[in-house]
Amino acid sequence: MLINKWNWLFLVLSVSAVCQAADDAEGYYHSLADGESKALSGLQALAKAKDPDALMKLGFVYEYGVSVPASVEKALHFYEQACDLDSRYGCYSARYFYQYGQGVAQNTTRAQALADKANKEDIHVDATTLNELVDEIYSAKAAAIKDPVQRFAFLQMVMSYANTGNELLMNRLGFSKSDVLNLAEFWAKDNDPDITFLVGQLYDAGFVKVAIKDAFRMEWYRKAAELGQSDAQNILGLLYATGEKGVKPDIQQALKWYERAAKQGNKDALINLGAIYYLGEQVDIDYAKAFQLFDTAKEQGSAIAWRYLAWMYTNGQYVQTDCKMAADYFDQGQSRVGRIDGFLATCEKDKLTREKGSDELPVLTLKQVGSFIGGKNDSYACQLNLQVDTNHIGEVANMRVGLNVKNREGAVLTDIASFAPFGMNTLNRNLEGYEHNSLSQSTLLHIEDKAFCGELTFEMTHATAKINGKDVDLLKAGSLMLVQ
């Protein structure tokens, strides 16, 4: 759990810009961390030129033994030199060793002198509050150094504080965003799954300014996932399922990672995997699998799992319709659906209509209702918003429509539009209880070629669906019309 005790403090502190670390010092550090021993000479040269950030980096290098033998003596030398040169740097980092007797004899007098020397300009924090915060952070660090099991909790703490928007204060305390990221990456080399996952989160949160942030984040999430970290596995599944953050959609990869996380009981993965089997947009619908996954997530307190199950009891999907149980499940899932006026009556009426059934196929209409332009971090140039409507109640599921998409220049793109189930009831609500046409469904076509993001025409090549449980060729049956 993230520690938020001090968040109020950071929010009210000055957010003045701080003098950023020299790019050269940061670059030399990362080269050294990657095993390039010559980079140490570059850092040392900057330190001799009285670069306080280089001195801080050297202190860090020797404190933790980054590609060199660890040496408290050398770490202290560089931290104290930085503090003497520019009191915005190194003072609290050096204080830590004396305060907690880490590698040197404990000397609280010397520790206090270093704390007093630290530049507190623009911090705007009273001494008592500042000392309590310093002691909390550094006592947690001492515990993490003594017991590696405590590393993750410590990193979560400093990540939380460094991410509150006041880099100035955290820089003075020796935990700038780059410092936190560097420490997390260094400790992640021990293949701790949670710390490896946290490195990905740090890239996600912008703890380093790098043009290919998405690639770095993906690399660390993948490492954590392969180490068995279930949150990372769920995120990989989500990225592959949605095509977000520049990742090309791949349903097989999505299923692979969701399933690994779900087997560990990851609540979010259980929901995400269940939704894939329930919606049937990327795989054929499997209500039995979806129900099992939602039921497992429900036992972990997932509100959305309760809602999905309520929807299945409402519509008679895998289970028999049970309107009273559906209403109760909606309440458990904090949804307003079960409390809308006439829910039970409408639910029972829709049940009778479905049971009575009809040999007459519905009339379905398909049309484009809009488009969305992709951003620089998206794997698509645009998304085409397609909508299908039915003229009466009756479940339409596993609907697939093959399309030839033609642009103004006459070029043709072939794609398949898949739709989640619709037409099961007349409640006109979604899972959360907001208004939504129950006899309508929409989907997004991911388009990679921007030439197909303007004015378009469509031609249907094939169309199938499972209507009231029966497979139907919609084009042969004349049940689907395309509106241009």
Side-chain angles (χ1 to χ4, degrees), residues 311-384:
W311 207 236
M312 297 180 81
Y313 277 112
T314 300
N315 300 320
Q317 295 163 313
Y318 179 65
V319 293
Q320 294 295 317
T321 297
D322 188 327
C323 298
K324 290 184 178 179
M325 182 173 287
D328 178 59
Y329 272 39
F330 276 126
D331 282 346
Q332 295 286 349
Q334 301 172 10
S335 171
R336 297 175 292 178
V337 175
R339 297 183 182 181
I340 62 175
D341 291 340
F343 170 78
L344 291 176
T346 302
C347 178
E348 294 290 352
K349 180 181 177 182
D350 290 341
K351 174 186 175 183
L352 292 175
T353 302
R354 290 193 302 270
E355 289 175 349
K356 181 179 179 181
S358 173
D359 292 332
E360 180 182 351
L361 292 175
V363 175
L364 305 174
T365 56
L366 175 65
K367 59 185 176 182
Q368 181 185 357
V369 294
S371 61
F372 306 97
I373 302 301
K376 64 179 181 179
N377 294 324
D378 293 317
S379 62
Y380 51 84
C382 63
Q383 294 175 311
L384 307 183

Side-chain angles (χ1 to χ4, degrees), residues 419-432:
F419 294 87
F422 64 102
M424 296 86 68
N425 59 61
T426 58
L427 289 165
N428 292 325
R429 292 290 191 277
N430 62 14
L431 289 179
E432 286 74 32

Side-chain angles (χ1 to χ4, degrees), residues 226-286:
E226 290 171 348
L227 289 169
Q229 215 284 343
S230 67
D231 289 324
Q233 292 170 341
N234 176 63
I235 286 177
L236 278 188
L238 182 64
L239 294 176
Y240 278 119
T242 61
E244 295 179 356
K245 308 296 184 181
V247 177
K248 189 172 182 179
D250 186 330
I251 186 57
Q252 294 306 315
Q253 285 292 315
L255 290 173
K256 167 187 168 181
W257 291 112
Y258 277 152
E259 286 170 356
R260 290 188 182 184
K263 285 179 181 178
Q264 297 189 65
N266 185 285
K267 181 171 62 176
D268 293 331
L270 288 165
I271 292 297
N272 290 332
L273 186 58
I276 284 179
Y277 286 117
Y278 177 82
L279 298 174
E281 294 175 293
Q282 296 166 296
V283 300
D284 285 342
I285 281 173
D286 190 330

Side-chain angles (χ1 to χ4, degrees), residues 26-146:
E26 189 71 23
Y28 281 132
Y29 169 80
H30 285 291
S31 295
L32 182 62
D34 288 338
E36 296 181 24
S37 58
K38 292 182 180 179
L40 182 62
S41 298
L43 269 180
Q44 291 171 334
L46 288 176
K48 287 181 180 178
K50 297 185 178 181
D51 182 332
D53 189 65
L55 290 165
M56 283 291 293
K57 290 290 186 292
L58 282 170
F60 183 94
V61 163
Y62 282 105
E63 178 179 0
Y64 294 101
V66 181
S67 299
V68 299
S71 170
V72 170
E73 180 182 358
K74 290 183 179 180
L76 259 176
H77 168 73
F78 288 116
Y79 284 143
E80 290 187 287
Q81 195 175 344
C83 182
D84 290 338
L85 180 66
D86 185 336
S87 58
R88 296 174 299 172
Y89 296 83
C91 301
Y92 281 105
S93 298
R95 170 193 178 275
Y96 159 76
F97 293 96
Y98 293 110
Q99 183 69 28
Y100 295 96
Q102 296 290 322
V104 296
Q106 188 175 30
N107 187 336
T108 55
T109 301
R110 176 60 179 157
Q112 187 59 51
L114 286 163
D116 291 341
K117 188 173 184 178
N119 187 319
K120 301 174 181 63
E121 183 181 353
D122 297 328
I123 295 298
H124 306 305
V125 179
D126 65 87
T128 300
T129 301
L130 179 60
N131 289 337
E132 287 178 359
L133 176 60
V134 169
D135 287 341
E136 181 174 0
I137 290 176
Y138 276 102
S139 63
K141 175 182 175 178
I145 296 299
K146 182 178 180 181

Side-chain angles (χ1 to χ4, degrees), residues 315 350 354 390 392-397 420-426 437-441 468:
N315 300 320
D350 290 341
R354 290 193 302 270
T390 180
H392 64 68
I393 190 171
E395 184 181 56
V396 181
F422 64 102
M424 296 86 68
N425 59 61
T426 58
N437 186 353
S438 298
L439 303 184
S440 178
Q441 189 57 272
N468 294 325

